[in-house]
Amino acid sequence: ILVPTALLISAFAPKLIVPLLMIGGLFLCFEGFEKVFHKWLHSAEDAAHTEAVHAAAKDAAVDLVALERTRIKGAIRTDFILSAEIVVIALGTMATAPIAQQIGALSVIGIGITVLVYGLVAGIVKLDDLGLRLIAAGGAGRALGNGILRAAPWLMKALSVGGTAAMFLVGGTILAHGVPPVEHGIASVAEATGALGGLLTLLLEGGFGMVAGGLAVAVLTLGKRLKPKRG
């Protein structure tokens, strides 16, 4: 879906590339801030959800996929936007290249995302299954299986924190480059710091992403509260 769409945009509406990048960057910042915001203000709801999942896991009659459907949809949506951002960024770097080169490059990127990124994600999600199989097999693999089961929750938490930070960094970088005054301001500050300029640029762009995400969450939350209730 993404690669053909990107090629059509490049051919017939190249001016849409930058606005699409900005929208995607803002969405990533919104998702990142909403994740942090939700954790702090809705911890009781998260605890109740976790308890419900644990109870459902013990009941064979409960469909866990249906129970987690909302979160699954949210994860798919975020991954789709991230993939779209990668494709559009690649397209933006070769907007003036011949169409054959664009098709080849975007096809390689699309296959790479599918095989490497989502293949890796699938492997991480199945770590607990691997651990259980090793334990069931017995022998020397039993200790390894137990180690995998103990490490998997910590790995998931680390990926969650890292993924949230990446949303701010990627989204903030895209937004900062799309707003010239912000881009020039960050560049000026980075140049004045010398050797640490690269790290400072990354931190400032991430901070800009957090501010943008916070504003997006605030606007959406205010809009929901002001929206008249039906009935």
Side-chain angles (χ1 to χ4, degrees), residues 2-220:
L2 292 175
V3 171
T5 301
L7 291 171
L8 288 173
I9 291 173
S10 177
F12 299 105
K15 291 183 179 180
L16 287 178
I17 293 176
V18 173
L20 287 174
L21 276 173
M22 296 293 286
I23 292 171
L26 182 60
F27 176 81
L28 292 179
C29 295
F30 167 82
E31 283 283 289
F33 195 91
E34 204 279 334
K35 186 178 180 67
V36 177
F37 178 83
H38 185 90
K39 180 178 180 180
W40 286 104
L41 297 185
H42 302 283
S43 56
E45 295 178 15
D46 285 344
H49 177 79
T50 301
E51 185 177 345
V53 171
H54 288 168
K58 300 176 183 178
D59 187 351
V62 176
D63 185 354
L64 287 176
V65 174
L67 184 64
E68 291 283 81
R69 196 173 301 280
T70 300
R71 295 199 175 194
I72 292 172
K73 286 182 178 179
I76 292 173
R77 182 183 65 247
T78 302
D79 285 346
F80 184 84
I81 295 295
L82 269 171
S83 300
E85 285 292 272
I86 293 171
V87 171
V88 174
I89 289 172
L91 183 63
T93 62
M94 58 177 62
T96 58
I99 187 65
Q101 186 176 340
Q102 292 184 16
I103 292 174
L106 292 181
S107 297
V108 170
I109 290 171
I111 293 171
I113 292 173
T114 303
V115 175
L116 298 178
V117 178
Y118 295 117
L120 178 62
V121 170
I124 293 173
V125 170
K126 290 293 184 179
L127 273 178
D128 54 349
D129 292 337
L130 174 62
L132 290 173
R133 287 195 177 192
L134 289 173
I135 292 173
R142 187 178 184 86
L144 178 59
N146 283 322
I148 290 175
L149 289 181
R150 291 193 184 98
W154 293 101
L155 175 62
M156 294 296 185
K157 289 180 180 179
L159 289 174
S160 177
V161 173
T164 302
M167 286 183 183
F168 290 128
L169 292 174
V170 175
T173 299
I174 292 171
L175 292 176
H177 284 288
V179 183
V182 174
E183 182 182 16
H184 296 156
I186 291 177
S188 299
V189 173
E191 287 178 4
T193 58
L196 296 177
L199 177 60
L200 184 59
T201 297
L202 195 64
L203 292 175
L204 289 175
E205 289 175 345
F208 183 66
M210 292 184 67
V211 173
L215 289 175
V217 169
V219 170
L220 184 63

